[in-house]
Amino acid sequence: MKESPDLSELTRQLIEFRDARDWRQFHSLKDLILSLNLEASELLELSQWKNEGDFEKEAATEPMQQQLREECADVLLYLLLIVERAGIDLQQAASDKIKANGLKYPVDKSHGRSTKYNKL
Ligand SMILES: [Mg+2]
């Protein structure tokens, strides 16, 4: 089985794709963030007008799996372009955020609860 590329390799492939087309000139930070949100909206659109149970079932079907796969990939690719443009170490930032969330949501206060941290 083929091994999935890590985030560094994906970023390398993406930059190569972008630069071969001379598209960096169009990729301002503002427009990359806008594009990320448009792609997130395409992901959201997949569930529009469907109840939760029906959508969960549909999500397991091949056609919806393919659509979810593509929209999730679009979101990730724009996110990688944003962090490359902004000079952010995404993996470190995500790790730091998980630690910070652990402090905001201590297990003893948040276990099994969806309450926001400022109301715990
Ligand atoms: Mg898309």
Side-chain angles (χ1 to χ4, degrees), residues 7-87:
L7 292 182
S8 299
E9 174 56 19
L10 279 178
T11 301
R12 191 199 62 72
Q13 290 176 18
L14 189 55
I15 298 307
E16 185 178 292
F17 174 93
R18 178 198 67 192
D19 290 348
R21 290 157 182 79
D22 192 22
W23 284 354
R24 190 179 194 279
Q25 61 183 312
F26 307 118
H27 288 183
S28 69
L29 191 53
K30 175 195 75 75
D31 282 333
L32 290 172
I33 293 169
L34 191 152
S35 298
L36 170 73
N37 281 274
L38 292 173
E39 292 299 344
S41 294
E42 289 180 11
L43 183 60
L44 182 61
E45 190 179 19
L46 298 177
S47 68
Q48 187 180 29
W49 313 123
K50 298 166 187 169
N51 75 43
E52 200 170 313
D54 289 345
F55 185 62
E56 289 286 334
K57 283 183 201 141
E58 188 183 1
T61 67
E62 172 52 33
M64 183 55 76
Q65 278 284 304
Q66 185 59 30
Q67 289 180 79
L68 285 167
R69 188 176 189 272
E70 289 183 16
E71 298 309 340
C72 286
D74 285 340
V75 169
L76 177 61
L77 294 175
Y78 273 115
L79 184 60
L80 291 175
L81 286 169
I82 290 167
V83 298
E84 189 270 339
R85 185 82 192 203

